[in-house]
Structure formats: C-alpha cells, structure tokens
Amino acid sequence: MGHALSTWGDRMWNFAVAVFLVELYGNSLLLTAVYGLVVAGSVLLLGAIIGDWVDRNPRLKVAQTSLLVQNSCVIACGILLMVVFQFKEQLVELYNGWILTTCYILVITIANIANLASTATSITIQRDWVVVVAGQDSSRLADMNATVRIIDQLTNILAPMLVGQIMAFGSHYIGCGFISGWNLCSMCVEYALLWKVYQKTPALAVKAGQKEQQQELKQLSPTRDLENGQSPEESSQPLMNETSLVANPDSPKQTGCCYQVSEPLRTFKSGWAAYYNQNIFFAGMSLAFLYMTVLGFDCITTGYAYTQGLNGSVLSLLMGASAVSGICGTVAFTWVRKKCGLIRTGFISGVAQLSCLMLCVVSVFAPGSPFDLSVSPFQDIYSHLIGENTLPEHTALTIFNATTDAPAEELPPLQSYMSVSLLFAGVIAARVGLWSFDLTVTQLIQENVIESERGVINGVQNSMNYLLDLLHFIMVILAPNQEAFGLLVIISVSFVAMGHIMYFRFAFKSLGSRLFLCCSPEQKVETDDSPSLPTTV
C-alpha cells in the first residue's frame, strides 16, 4: 500500500514535470533536456555516496528520511510552478526576465533533490527491504519483484491518466496544485505504513555489516587471548579497552577537515571498484546501456510528442498502454523464469525488445516524420537567445493559416500521425521485453551481491544508468529540434543493441552452449550439486 502511494505520486510528478517545462519554455525540448541533464549528473556523482549512506544507517531511518525529503521537495516545487503559471507575464517583465529564469533554476534544483531522495528510497525498499523479507527463497524474491513492478505499472496507467485529464480539461495551475496536495496527504500515510512493516519484520532491524563486525570481534578475541596466554574470560574487558585505545589515535585524523572532505571521494572510488569486481558487472552494464535512449516515456519523448500535436490527455493514454505492456512483460518474466531459468529469461527478453524497436527505426522514414538533417540543430537554441519566435510556434502559425485559407488541405495533418504512431507502437511493444529484462538484472544483482554492499552496489548501478541517461540528454541538448529526433532514435536503438550484446557475453560465460536451450532441464540437477547456481541459471 505504501509503495503504491509512493509510486502514484512519483508517476504523476514525472509525467507532469515534462509537460510543465515544455509549456513554460515555448514548446521547446531544451528546458526538459537541461532538467534531465542535471538529474542524471547528480545521480552519477552521488549514486555511490547515497548507496553507502543507505548501508551505514538503519533501514527505518533511511526510508523515513528519504520519504520526507522527497515529498517535501515535490510539494515545494509544485507550489513554485503554480506561482510561475499564475504570474508568468509579470515575471517576464521584471528585471528583463531574470526573475523568471531564477524560478526555472529553482524548479530544476528542487526537483533534482526530490529525485535524489527517490533514488535512496528505491535502493532501500526495492533492493534491500524486499530481499530481507523474501529471505533465502529465490522464487519468492522473483514473485515479490514482479509484484512491486506490477504496482509500478498499474500506477503508471492510472496516475498519468488522472493528472493528464486534469491538465487537459482544467489547467496546468490546477495540475500543480493537485500534485502538491496528493504528496502532502500520501506522505503521512506512507510514513505510518513504513513503521508498521518495519515492526512486522524483525530481520529489518539488523544489517549484515553490523553482524559481521560482531562476529569478527568474537573471533579476534580468542586469538589474541591465546597469544597473550590468557583465557577469554580474563581478557575480554582489556580487549575492549585495547580496541578503544587503538581507535583513539586515528580519531583526530578521522575527524580532521581533510579527512572529512576526502571521505566522499574515497566512498566514490571504493564503490565503483567494488561494482567493477562483481561477477554481474556485464549484466549491470547491459541494463545501463538501455538508458542511452530517447525511446522511453521520459520528459524527452513526452516533449517530442507534445510538439507533434499530442495533448496531455492522449499522452496519458499512451503511457497507460505502455504500462499495460510492462505488466505483460512482468507476468512473462515470472513464467519464463520458471521454464527457462533466470539468465535465459534475460536473453529472451533482449531479443524481444530489439525486435519491437525496429518499428521505431521505420518511423524515422515513414510519412509525416519531421526527420530532416538539413535543418541546423542549433536553430532552436539561437532563436531563444536572440528572442525570436520559436520554430514550433512558427510552424503552428503556418498550419493555421493554411487550414484557414484552404480547407481542402486538412488531409496532411492526418497523414503526419503515421510516423508518431509507429514510433509509439514500437516503444509500447518493446516494454514487454524491457521490463522482463530489467527484472532479470535486478534479481541477478539482489542474489549475487552481499548484504553489506547492497546499497553501494545498487547506488553505483543507478549511477551507471544515469551516466548513459546523461549522454542521451546531451544528445538532445546538441540537437533539440524535432527534425533531428529521427537521428536520436537510430542512435538509441544502436545502444540498446550494444547493451544486449554485453548481456549475451555475461550469459554465455555463465551457461555456455546451454544458453540456447529452450528449457532448463539441468536446473534441478544444478540445485543438488551447487547451491549458488539456482539463483542465476
């Protein structure tokens, strides 16, 4: 219930913020690209540090703190957007528009903080709490991951539809107010539900890192006792004193300014080194490469569809269809995993995703596609800098004049929807393979990473995801006009293909020629011979 409330608010905000930024900046993708760039860069730099913070602190404290910060920032950002929408004309005239620019910066900054808090929440709940609750049962863990993902997809259907209808039949001002009010109410309920789950699961109160330290002290004590010729009972108290004395000389160094300043850098370095040494490194990299794409329902694709004439209501319905496709992929994951094993499920999912994305490549050359490399990609940026009318406004004015003077020319707009229809058909169909593949890699990380490093490894994985996500936002900033979007589609499909090649390398190294078996008849035998293989085969 708490996860459903949290994801509902996240989906509403993620959908609405793209439309808000496009609307505020004259139907241009530039502001949405800058927002995505800031978000991706922040998680890239702070992902390992956030994961280390999750590992070092109690689970309940991490979950409650990230929940409060995330919802508070969304509420503040919604209120600020309401002010901008209500008084935009007055803000443009104040100090030559610098007040409005400051509001843009504040919106992006606050929304970025909310995303960082959301990252911490995702790591601690979906990557740590779920594993602890599932225990050592791999099948139960798979079912729980699928259930969490189904909740995500159901909220992805209903939440954008609701806020999209509010913005379509009401206004953007009302949409901002509704999102702020929802987060305020849900924050209180989620806080109480987290505490209730924590009380019902005693295993959440103890982390593996703390237990390992206690065991090391117990093992170290008898060893030093034998060396000193003392019994454990006689020297147990001196050992504690000795430990404290050993730690005291280092305390000035640890509390010094230079040590504290360099600690995040050491955490960053050690986290990435630990991630590189994991046996699921290429599997994680393959998932990260899927983020180097404009073929998802993020702010870039939403903004592009908005410039092609699709309003918020239609976009919300398309996102709902995408969520239905994702649910199908989640259900397919649980079924295929039982039949073929976990690693083979990822391989099959990758083939399915690539096949569906071919429709997106076809859409680039379909009738009605704005693909035209002869148009300068910097024209949209230049027009905003010198204060001229934007390209979408000029195009809309031309179409309006043409339809007013000659009503017989109303057929071309109908034909122009063929390209965008093929694009979204491919994106929606590919979600089946995408979500199944995502669940596969997620469970591989959950089962192959020790508990004491679970937070930092997942933090680095998020950083890798956002690193490739950062590159795709840089591409959009370099080519923000809709005429170059087709080129971005081709590049995106290429990176998705490279990601699945990496996963094939990992899968073939793990299974060899058995990877190409349709079923997994040897899985039961492997369970008896090697306890570590059932979680990956």
Side-chain angles (χ1 to χ4, degrees):
M1 181 64 181
H3 180 69
L5 291 174
S6 178
T7 53
W8 183 286
D10 290 343
R11 295 300 183 270
M12 286 196 305
W13 173 248
N14 292 334
F15 170 76
V17 68
V19 179
F20 291 156
L21 294 177
V22 172
E23 180 69 20
L24 287 175
Y25 207 63
N27 293 339
S28 173
L29 302 179
L30 181 61
L31 199 59
T32 58
V34 172
Y35 164 70
L37 177 65
V38 172
V39 168
S42 298
V43 179
L44 171 62
L45 296 176
L46 302 177
I49 298 175
I50 293 174
D52 183 71
W53 175 74
V54 172
D55 286 332
R56 290 175 179 269
N57 291 275
R59 290 187 172 98
L60 183 62
K61 176 184 177 182
V62 172
Q64 292 178 338
T65 302
S66 57
L67 173 66
L68 292 176
V69 173
Q70 177 187 0
N71 286 274
S72 300
C73 290
V74 172
I75 293 171
C77 197
I79 295 174
L80 182 58
L81 284 172
M82 291 174 65
V83 174
V84 173
F85 279 119
Q86 186 70 18
F87 305 101
K88 183 178 180 181
E89 296 181 358
Q90 293 85 342
L91 293 174
V92 171
E93 298 176 356
L94 291 177
Y95 300 99
N96 296 326
W98 282 105
I99 299 297
L100 183 61
T101 303
T102 303
C103 291
Y104 292 157
I105 296 174
L106 287 176
V107 167
I108 293 176
T109 302
I110 298 174
N112 180 45
I113 297 175
N115 183 76
L116 292 176
S118 177
T119 301
T121 303
S122 176
I123 292 175
T124 187
I125 299 297
Q126 301 184 28
R127 303 295 187 268
D128 186 27
W129 284 43
V130 172
V131 180
V132 175
V133 173
Q136 302 295 326
D137 193 343
S138 178
S139 297
R140 186 183 179 190
L141 178 60
D143 293 337
M144 293 184 66
N145 286 330
T147 302
V148 170
R149 199 53 51 87
I150 289 176
I151 293 175
D152 294 341
Q153 297 306 317
L154 287 176
T155 55
N156 214 14
I157 296 174
L158 302 176
M161 288 178 62
L162 177 61
V163 71
Q165 301 303 322
I166 291 175
M167 290 188 297
F169 297 101
S171 64
H172 294 88
Y173 178 85
I174 297 176
C176 293
F178 178 80
I179 293 175
S180 298
W182 174 270
N183 280 270
L184 179 61
C185 296
S186 65
M187 177 175 60
C188 302
V189 178
E190 292 174 48
Y191 194 93
L193 291 175
L194 279 176
W195 172 250
K196 188 174 182 180
V197 172
Y198 185 81
Q199 285 183 322
K200 289 186 175 182
T201 311
L204 292 172
V206 181
K207 282 195 172 182
Q210 301 172 353
K211 293 184 291 186
E212 290 174 359
Q213 291 177 359
Q214 295 175 358
Q215 292 176 358
E216 288 177 359
L217 288 176
K218 292 180 179 179
Q219 295 175 359
L220 183 62
S221 178
T223 303
R224 293 190 177 184
D225 294 340
L226 294 176
E227 292 177 356
N228 297 330
Q230 299 176 345
S231 63
E233 291 81 3
E234 294 175 351
S235 60
S236 59
Q237 185 65 32
L239 177 62
M240 299 301 296
N241 295 335
E242 181 181 355
T243 305
S244 302
L245 293 174
V246 173
N248 286 336
D250 296 336
S251 58
K253 184 184 298 183
Q254 294 179 357
T255 58
C257 181
C258 296
Y259 184 89
Q260 293 180 354
V261 170
S262 60
E263 184 176 2
L265 297 178
R266 290 194 303 272
T267 302
F268 180 86
K269 179 181 178 181
S270 61
W272 283 81
Y275 177 79
Y276 177 78
N277 293 325
Q278 297 293 320
N279 59 347
I280 42 85
F281 170 72
F282 279 102
M285 285 290 294
S286 65
L287 179 62
F289 264 64
L290 302 189
Y291 282 78
M292 176 61 180
T293 177
V294 295
L295 302 176
F297 280 90
D298 57 359
C299 56
I300 298 300
T301 307
T302 304
Y304 171 76
Y306 195 73
T307 61
Q308 296 300 302
L310 302 182
N311 57 23
S313 178
V314 175
L315 287 176
S316 63
L317 294 176
L318 289 175
M319 292 189 70
S322 173
V324 172
S325 178
I327 292 176
C328 295
T330 302
V331 175
F333 163 76
T334 58
W335 184 81
V336 176
R337 178 192 168 276
K338 292 179 181 179
K339 298 294 182 180
C340 303
L342 185 60
I343 292 181
R344 292 185 187 88
T345 302
F347 177 70
I348 296 172
S349 302
V351 174
Q353 183 187 9
L354 275 176
S355 302
C356 295
L357 289 181
M358 293 299 104
L359 288 176
C360 300
V361 178
V362 174
S363 70
V364 175
F365 308 98
S369 173
F371 182 60
D372 186 6
L373 294 180
S374 63
V375 178
S376 173
F378 304 101
Q379 180 177 351
D380 197 28
I381 300 177
Y382 179 74
S383 62
H384 280 92
L385 291 177
I386 66 177
E388 293 181 355
N389 292 331
T390 59
L391 181 61
E393 293 175 349
H394 174 73
T395 305
L397 181 61
T398 303
I399 296 175
F400 175 77
N401 292 334
T403 56
T404 302
D405 298 338
E409 296 182 1
E410 292 183 356
L411 290 177
L414 295 177
Q415 195 179 40
S416 64
Y417 287 105
M418 181 179 297
S419 175
V420 70
S421 299
L422 286 174
L423 175 68
F424 280 97
V427 171
I428 293 173
R431 309 300 274 186
V432 177
L434 173 63
W435 285 112
S436 179
F437 184 81
D438 178 81
L439 283 170
T440 299
V441 178
T442 296
Q443 186 161 345
L444 285 172
I445 295 175
Q446 289 173 335
E447 294 180 348
N448 290 275
V449 176
I450 60 176
E451 185 177 350
S452 60
E453 295 182 351
R454 195 174 292 154
V456 67
I457 295 301
N458 282 282
V460 175
Q461 179 63 50
N462 285 336
S463 297
M464 283 300 306
N465 298 343
Y466 276 95
L467 173 61
L468 276 299
D469 199 33
L470 177 67
L471 296 180
H472 108 265
F473 280 113
I474 292 177
M475 284 196 312
V476 178
I477 290 178
L478 295 178
N481 57 322
Q482 54 185 327
E483 287 81 6
F485 190 80
L487 179 62
L488 303 184
V489 170
I490 298 175
I491 296 176
S492 299
V493 175
S494 301
F495 270 85
V496 171
M498 286 188 288
H500 288 302
I501 292 174
M502 290 183 181
Y503 183 83
F504 175 78
R505 183 185 185 278
F506 161 78
F508 190 78
K509 182 179 180 181
S510 301
L511 299 181
S513 59
R514 294 177 298 162
L515 175 64
F516 303 104
L517 297 177
C518 296
C519 297
S520 182
E522 74 280 0
Q523 186 173 3
K524 184 176 181 181
V525 177
E526 291 170 352
T527 303
D528 299 333
D529 296 338
S530 178
S532 61
L533 288 179
T535 61
T536 57
V537 175

